[in-house]
Amino acid sequence: MEDKQVLFNNIDINTFSYSKLLDYRKNKISLISQVDDLFIDKTVLENLLIFYEEKDIIDILNKTKLYHYKDRLISSLSGGERQRIAIVKELLANTEVILCDEITSALDSITSKEILKFIIDNFNDKTIIFISHDVSMFKEYVDRMLHISNGKLISNTLYKIATSNHKVIKTNKRKNELITFLKQSKRS
C-alpha cells in the first residue's frame, strides 16, 4: 500500500470526488459518539421517525429488546439508555462500518460493558471501529491489536477468540498513538 492511501473494500477513497466521498460516508459508515444527537424533548420513536420508517423502527426496537422505551422522552433516559437508542439509530442505517468514538467515556464500567456487549451482539456482520482510552475493556472481544505511533506500526498482537465472528477495531488516541483491535467479521 502506498503512503496516504485509504482503502475501503480495496478502493482508494482518496481518489473520490468530494460528493462521492460524502455519499460513501453516508451509505457505508455510521458514527456513534459519546454525545448523542437525539432531541431531548422528543420520544424515542419521534427521534427515530425523523430518519426511518415506523415499521423498521418497531422491528429493531423489538429485536434489541428496547421496545418499552418507544414512548419515553429522551430527557427521561439514563446515559446508558440514551446510548442504546443512539446505537439503535445506527443499526437502522445498516452501513458496513460502525465508527464508535469514545462511546463509553461518560458511563460507569458496568454500563460500559453492557453497551459494548450490546454493540457486539447487534452488529455481528459489521466492521466496528472503537476509539477509546480504555484498552482493557475491549481486549476480551478482539482477535488482533495493532499499536500505531506517529504513523508507524509498533506492534501487531494476535489474540484467539472463538466466540464471535465480529470485526472490532479499537483505537487509542494518546500522544499520536493508535491502538487498534481487530475482530474478524463474517465478510472478511
Side-chain angles (χ1 to χ4, degrees):
M1 185 168 88
E2 295 177 24
D3 286 340
K4 300 189 182 195
Q5 275 188 315
V6 179
L7 299 177
F8 186 83
N9 291 336
N10 292 319
I11 300 169
D12 183 1
I13 64 173
N14 285 327
T15 63
F16 290 179
S17 67
Y18 183 72
S19 62
K20 185 173 181 181
L21 190 58
L22 287 178
D23 184 58
Y24 213 71
R25 159 51 185 107
K26 178 182 174 189
N27 294 304
K28 302 286 186 185
I29 303 169
S30 295
L31 172 66
I32 305 168
S33 71
Q34 63 184 333
V35 180
D36 64 64
D37 59 356
L38 302 170
F39 297 100
I40 62 171
D41 61 337
K42 304 278 186 214
T43 67
V44 167
L45 181 61
E46 289 169 334
N47 266 274
L48 298 175
L49 280 171
I50 294 168
F51 305 99
Y52 305 104
E53 299 292 324
E54 186 167 3
K55 177 194 174 300
D56 296 331
I57 295 167
I58 299 305
D59 286 348
I60 201 72
L61 288 174
N62 281 322
K63 179 185 173 195
T64 58
K65 299 179 176 83
L66 296 173
Y67 181 81
H68 60 284
Y69 291 108
K70 175 178 73 80
D71 296 318
R72 289 193 46 198
L73 287 174
I74 295 298
S75 61
S76 72
L77 301 178
S78 70
E81 292 165 339
R82 285 177 66 151
Q83 197 64 297
R84 285 178 182 86
I85 300 304
I87 294 164
V88 162
K89 184 175 155 223
E90 299 314 320
L91 275 169
L92 285 160
N94 198 28
T95 59
E96 293 178 42
V97 176
I98 312 300
L99 177 60
C100 301
D101 185 12
E102 294 284 2
I103 61 167
T104 61
S105 65
L107 304 174
D108 62 76
S109 63
I110 293 171
T111 304
S112 293
K113 287 182 181 183
E114 290 171 0
I115 293 293
L116 181 58
K117 183 169 178 2
F118 184 81
I119 290 171
I120 296 297
D121 290 346
N122 287 286
F123 289 109
N124 62 1
D125 63 343
K126 310 293 182 193
T127 296
I128 306 169
I129 301 170
F130 288 97
I131 301 169
S132 177
H133 287 91
D134 187 358
V135 173
S136 63
M137 183 184 316
F138 296 91
K139 279 188 175 179
E140 68 184 274
Y141 298 101
V142 301
D143 293 327
R144 183 176 303 272
M145 177 180 80
L146 302 175
H147 180 181
I148 302 167
S149 179
N150 295 317
K152 306 276 188 222
L153 181 63
I154 303 302
S155 66
N156 182 347
T157 308
L158 183 64
Y159 294 90
K160 184 173 180 175
I161 303 290
T163 59
S164 176
N165 289 321
H166 312 278
K167 179 184 281 181
V168 177
I169 301 171
K170 160 74 174 78
T171 305
N172 181 338
K173 293 193 280 191
R174 190 179 315 141
K175 296 182 185 172
N176 271 342
E177 292 187 8
L178 300 175
I179 308 246
T180 304
F181 292 95
L182 302 172
K183 202 164 192 62
Q184 298 304 309
S185 71
K186 293 177 185 174
R187 294 180 184 168
S188 295

